[in-house]
Amino acid sequence: MKAPTFLLILTAVAAALFMAFRLVGNDYLFFAGYTVLQYVVIATAWNILGGYCGYVNFGSAGFFAVGVYSTVFFHNIGQMVDFQLPIPVLIVIGGIMSGLLGLGMGYLTLRLRGVFFAIATLALLVVIETFVVNWSFVGGSRGAYIIPPSEIPILGAFIQYLFLLMLILVVLSLAAARTIERSRLGIGFATIRDDELAAEASGVPTLRLKLIATVVSGALFGMAGAPFPYYIGYVEPNSAFNLAYSVNAIAMPMIGGTMTWVGPMVGALLLSTLQQVITVTISSAANLLITGLLLIGFVILAPKGLVGLWQSLTAGRKQP
Amino acid sequence: MQFDLLINAIIAGLMLGGFYAAVTAGISISFGMLDIVNIAHPGFIVLGSYIAYIVNAQFGIDPIVIAILALPVFFALGTGIYGIYFHSFEKHGQDALRGLAFFFGLLFVTEVLLILVFGVDYRTVSTAYVGGSLKIGVMEFPLRMLVPALVSFAMFAALQLYMSRTFIGRAVMAVSQDPQALELMAVDPTRIKRIAFSISMATCAMAGAFLIVIQPVLPSSGREYIGRVFAICVLGGLGSLPGTLIAALLIGVIESIATTFYGPSWAPAVSFGLLLLTLAVRPSGLLGR
Amino acid sequence: MTPDPAHGANSIAVEGIDAGYGLVRVLDDVSLNVGSGETVALLGTNGNGKSTLMKCIMGWVRPTKGRIVAEIDGVRHDLTKMATTDIVDLGIALVPEGRRLFPRQTVEENLLLGASRPKARPHIKTNLDFCFETFPRLAERRGQLAGSMSGGEQQMLALARALMLNPRILLVDEPSVGLSPLLVGRTIDAIKTLKEHYKLTVLMAEQNFTQALRIADRGYVIVHGKIEFEGASADELNNNDLIRQFYLGM
Amino acid sequence: MGQPVAEEVIGDVPLLAIEQLGKRFGGFVALDTVDLKVPQGQRLGLIGPNGSGKSTLVNCISGTLQNETGSVSFDGQRIDGFPAHRRARLGLARSFQLPRPFRTMTVAENVRVPLIYTVGARAGVHLTQSELEDRCMEVLSLVALQDKANKNPFDLTQVEMRKLELARAMAAEPKLLIADESMAGLSHSEVEDIVALLIRMNERGVTIIMIEHIMRAVMAFSQRLVVLVSGRKIADGAPEDVIKDKDVVGAYLGT
Amino acid sequence: QDTVKIGFSQSLTGFLSPNGKQALLGQEIWADRVNKAGGLLGKKVELKYYDDKSQGSEVPGIYTKLIDVDKVDLVVSGYASNQIAPAMPVVMSKKKTFISLFGLDINDKFKYDKYFSIIPTGQDTKGSFTQGWFDVAMQQSPKPQTIALTFADAEFSQNACEGARATAKKLNLKIVYDKAYPPPPKTTDFAPIVRAIKAENPDLVMICSYPLDSIGLVLAAHEVDLKPKMMGGAMVGLQATPFKDKLKGKLNGIVNYETWVPDKKQMYEGAEAFYKEYQSRAGAAGVDPLGYYLGGWGYAQMQVLEAGIKGAKSFDDAKIAEYLKKATVQTVVGPIKFGAKGEWADSRMMQVQYHSLTDAANLETWRGMSYQTVVDPPSLATGKLIYPYEKAMK
Ligand SMILES: Nc1ncnc2c1ncn2[C@@H]1O[C@H](COP(=O)(O)OP(=O)(O)OP(=O)(O)O)[C@@H](O)[C@H]1O
Ligand SMILES: Nc1ncnc2c1ncn2[C@@H]1O[C@H](COP(=O)(O)OP(=O)(O)OP(=O)(O)O)[C@@H](O)[C@H]1O
Ligand SMILES: CC(C)C[C@H](N)C(=O)O
Ligand SMILES: [Mg+2]
Ligand SMILES: [Mg+2]
């Protein structure tokens, strides 16, 4: 399937989904759906660096939060000059901010391999969080209120607008991930994951590709985070830098499969939907327990994720 | 006056560092020596805290004594977990990422079990030395920090002796470098890893007791330590217990001085910034080989 | 100082083994034996299966056919299905291809690791003294990390580490790899010294046949996983056409 | 046997010029002031005992390692300091002694990588998808791996893995190809195949440096033979002369 | 349909859960009582709640689900600011009346006309946590001159400290130390903070802290021998029974805010019965055994809603809000009258001083008033402040 065709189909699916949701006409679907979609973008973002290039980012929450706080920052500026940027613009800005952070992180840490890289991203997360906590313009530790309008022309409820934006982000990020995966860039990424020395010897500019990956991945995280203040209405560092983002960003691709764009999406849809469902059915610690058990179960029983499981089921038994 | 402050800031930092060292000791073994990214380690430390809590509440035994009694329990727990880890991952070749996810899952499961058994309230222990403090000249040693720090130093000394003086200990230090070559020394690398991992889990009993002596504990308390624990381990240099101890003391002292003189708000950035810097300049850590 | 003398014969017999990796068969019906107290050379250029044979003896690679029997202090053991650690425990030590030192451990730590074998523990001190006496270089560098030593020093360390096991039978896989010609000679000499001191039975895989034959009692030539030639004496090997053909490409 | 080409004969700028190259690992000197000039179109054999620094030399030329002293020039341009991928794009390809295939890719994809990132990245070249496919299969058939195009490298035998290693280097359409022990473990006829293949490539104008222990192959292939011992060049000249050289016999073949 | 559904999110796991669960028990006891008495306007009450895991990001989804899917008739908030604020946009867009529990100054930003706050802070929300503390301090002699402020890097403590800072300035107290610290577990050892404060030798030490830091700071103060003339202020956590049990004698002398104490004057109608029931059920629910801090308040929150419904004789949000704006509601924690922004018309925040505690203190001690004196406001006072701090320490 050519990329434009794919984009078209994806858009059609998204549009159908949106219309179906509207038909049901219940805001909760949009709220829950927003969270699920947000995780699809986050898992896809993580996978571009983690799954395609093999560099594990522990600090996903930091990138997400930079998107969140870029919106808070421009919102607060907007309060002062009495002009608010529209959310799509804020998403683009959030993406740029997190992309820049990705670039910085790349330069600082990409010469580190394996766990050292992972630990460095974790350290970066703490440093950014401390910075935000101490930056009173964006609310510091006390948090910031971003009061969303409750209605919006044409669409009606504001959450539908946010949902639609996130849906567009999902379409874009999946299309981006798929395009990368099938492009020469994707092949380059895969060589980095497999063997950096051999990649260099085959002409792959590994450092540049890794920087591209950190920037693209960072930008997607940031874009996922940018509308969040409007979703939650009140942001404080604990909710923006929540460990759940870092954990889910890794867990979802792991459960779905890290080799293709489908894996993170499937993992995010599954895990995040499950988390939503559990939150509203068994109101207790069961949520964590199930995330934990699923994670353990999947990595033990389906090492290549759901996608890998599916592939080996459809491909039939291979010769020993 | 300023001089008093500095001296006491350093002392407080060293004691805090002693505690950090205890929290990191197990990671230094499992992650540093065995290449097992046991991100659930802090979760098991909290489990150690709860065991100290429950026994302390029932029988009034000192939490650190309880920890020592609980060592075999944690050792056995480690043996069990390593068994699962080995059969699911290590046997089929290393896959650090999947192992990581496994331990993430384990962290959650431990946390939930604690919630289910003990509820969500803060838990504390009562011991004679909480609140008291030893004074030598201008120097002050709050016993609540001093006792854990001293026991932690003793634990480090014991671990280091074990690692450097015994056959198993030496094998532990070598096992991740070339497990197959160990077989040529008539040593079963899997057994060595199992023992080492069990030891690393046993340290959770101690660190858990220290934690609950120093502050009240919640089932989710462990999460916040993940970053710090790995940071100290990497800063010190993988696989080096003395390195871990030094890094822990360094972080403790830096945080304490930053807190005393510059306001505590920036302390986390200082220590993690230091880690970033160290990684950029010397990726193998302070005492990395 | 001589460690406790051998109480009986120490020998190895490889009986018609096939072995390989996955689908690739590397060894094809290989048989050889090393008699008690002998030094036998296993000759062959790269990739002919020397190391694979060594791995079979040590239990790292399982033969698909045939068996391997060792006699230690006069007691026979079938090695074919034994675990590597148990084989080592019997008293068979291997100086592996690529040396396989623990690079981030010091020289001394590496040596002490060699003494992990329970039966070697009582002799640590005498063995260590002997190692340092034979390789004074190691004594000088006992605190240095093994990975930072030169190839020759590493080879000495690997040999010394194997001896810390207090073995009866010593297998050496290409001791000359990575060594300068001068060091090759010295290392080969050292093997001889050690063998005599410990009354060892030695099987040595080598490409450098001239050096190998200086100390070998006899030898086998392995070509593409088959024993192509068996020389009952060093001379017989020295003057063989096959060898000239394989080694010099003439 | 090809005619010996001694260095003095070379008029033009050599394709590869190495001057006073040095490399150490910690305290260990792996390469000690090596000089080597390779003219365009030559078939050079490089031999030396294990650990003599051959692979290290290849690494320094190809950029996998950076040399500490001396210089490396390629096609008239100083290239030391260049990252490996830039050198690859300039036309410098190498195979690895221990095969390093891209594990998660098929054999064909392995070969496609240099086609995209080396050939495709050169100025003025644009490969369409079908050209890419064609070239990929062409290279694979050179080493008789066309039937395994869609296999995973792990399904290959050691021998096929080596061929893949070589194919990947050839796919880069290099001016200079360095084959580091590509034949270890190959059978007689396979060795002959590979030698013939390398000679064919050479006839198309590719300069080749072959590192090998198999003397039969070395003698059949080389127009010139260089011997490295302990990081030093101890002999350089026509193969027939070099193997008779006393030092060489002493150091490499053993006395 | 003969039930009325009341929905809310509650922190049942995560770091706020000790308080969240305590409040939930209060809410459940209320529902049981109402149902036993025949329900509200003839309908049985059903509580519908979900765990927000102490994470604000869960809250918007929960409230939309409650309103749109579960079709609850009414909503109230969970505990506390961090979960109340994220619910506001949703609640506002659905035009629901919202009775919040222990949110600090939430409606300042939203200005929602159907918001009612259950927290005894009065109109000066930030200042009232510590106003009484300053009032008693300034009556003492020698009159305090200097003050140190230390507070956790978190929204509540920042706000409370902001109020305290303003008051201190108004009173011309010299601020000699004014620094935030990251709350635990980011900060493990509080001795350096306390020592830095001690070095400034302040007369007053105002602490705005969360539970873990409250404990850490009290212990560190003892270890370092910090003895200002008065210490305490807005320390969350000291009100909870497990923490009192942990600190015992080390609490002596501290003057801290309190929201309800089992003093005769505060035994409002229904209080005795409620706490009796709470305490009999606390063990099974695994929460604070006494429930003085949030159990009663969770109950009171629902009593306010109950009063609204009964007063409006309707479940209609607008009518309930209309009624509540004017009414004075009697609850187990006292009469509540709302003023501007839905905050209380008048503050009833107390300052309590702990004293005469020994290691023998136990649940029975905490049950009563023997160890604490209400020193402010005068209307609720049960005794005089022991001043300076050191005198009360023994
Ligand atoms: N782990 C392995 N997996 C697959 N094939 C292997 C493996 N190890 C060795 N081989 C192959 O088996 C064959 C014999 O290898 P072996 O190492 O036994 O040879 P050798 O005679 O010791 O050579 P060398 O001089 O290189 O050490 C070679 O073709 C080699 O490529
Ligand atoms: N990364 C490294 N770190 C330390 N030492 C190294 C490194 N790479 C190579 N060496 C050492 O440098 C020396 C030369 O190695 P090199 O691989 O170049 O030898 P070679 O001539 O290719 O040998 P072979 O015929 O075995 O392939 C060896 O002693 C080797 O151990
Ligand atoms: C102490 C309470 C009145 C405030 C509460 N802890 C909050 O976060 O808002
Ligand atoms: Mg070999
Ligand atoms: Mg080589």
Side-chain angles (χ1 to χ4, degrees), chain B residues 17 34 66 71 92 109 127 216 218-219:
Chain B
L34 309 177
I66 297 168
L71 286 177
H92 320 291
V109 173
T127 60
L218 278 183

Side-chain angles (χ1 to χ4, degrees), chain E residues 127-308:
Chain E
S128 62
F129 263 93
T130 53
Q131 184 64 50
W133 194 86
F134 282 104
D135 288 349
V136 285
M138 297 318 279
Q139 289 160 15
Q140 310 302 318
S141 69
K143 204 169 150 181
Q145 305 291 331
T146 56
I147 184 168
L149 304 166
T150 184
F151 53 104
D153 250 342
E155 101 107 41
F156 161 71
S157 28
Q158 289 248 9
N159 281 330
C161 193
E162 195 179 297
R165 196 178 293 118
T167 311
K169 283 195 182 133
K170 228 181 295 164
L171 295 171
N172 274 325
L173 285 163
K174 187 167 173 240
I175 298 176
V176 293
Y177 182 97
D178 185 357
K179 279 176 185 164
Y181 58 85
K186 289 205 180 77
T187 303
T188 307
D189 183 16
F190 289 89
I193 297 173
V194 175
R195 221 175 263 119
I197 293 174
K198 190 183 167 197
E200 303 296 343
N201 199 21
D203 292 337
L204 304 175
V205 174
M206 158 66 58
I207 302 173
C208 305
S209 54
Y210 269 115
L212 275 187
D213 13 335
S214 299
I215 306 261
L217 283 162
V218 170
L219 290 177
H222 278 261
E223 287 158 358
V224 167
D225 264 340
L226 176 67
K227 285 173 187 157
K229 297 203 174 74
M230 198 165 134
M231 181 165 86
M235 304 175 75
V236 182
L238 300 191
Q239 301 80 1
T241 313
F243 288 152
K244 286 184 174 156
D245 228 36
K246 163 95 184 161
L247 293 171
K248 294 186 173 155
K250 298 188 186 73
L251 286 171
N252 286 338
I254 290 175
V255 181
N256 195 32
Y257 87 93
E258 185 54 281
T259 53
W260 186 84
V261 291
D263 179 48
K264 287 187 301 291
K265 279 189 220 162
Q266 300 189 34
M267 280 301 166
Y268 305 103
E269 194 195 329
E272 202 166 334
F274 166 75
Y275 287 109
K276 205 170 148 226
E277 166 136 30
Y278 175 97
Q279 285 160 17
S280 70
R281 285 167 68 166
V287 294
D288 187 287
L290 298 177
Y292 293 161
Y293 188 50
L294 269 157
W297 288 98
Y299 188 85
Q301 176 191 28
M302 303 311 280
Q303 280 185 301
V304 170
L305 183 66
E306 177 184 355

Side-chain angles (χ1 to χ4, degrees), chain C residues 21 26 45-52 55 97 174 207, chain D residues 158 185:
Chain C
Y21 306 90
V26 173
T45 51
N46 283 60
N48 278 310
K50 304 183 296 293
S51 302
T52 306
K55 290 180 196 166
E97 178 170 37
E174 295 203 47
Q207 301 194 46
Chain D
Q158 280 288 313

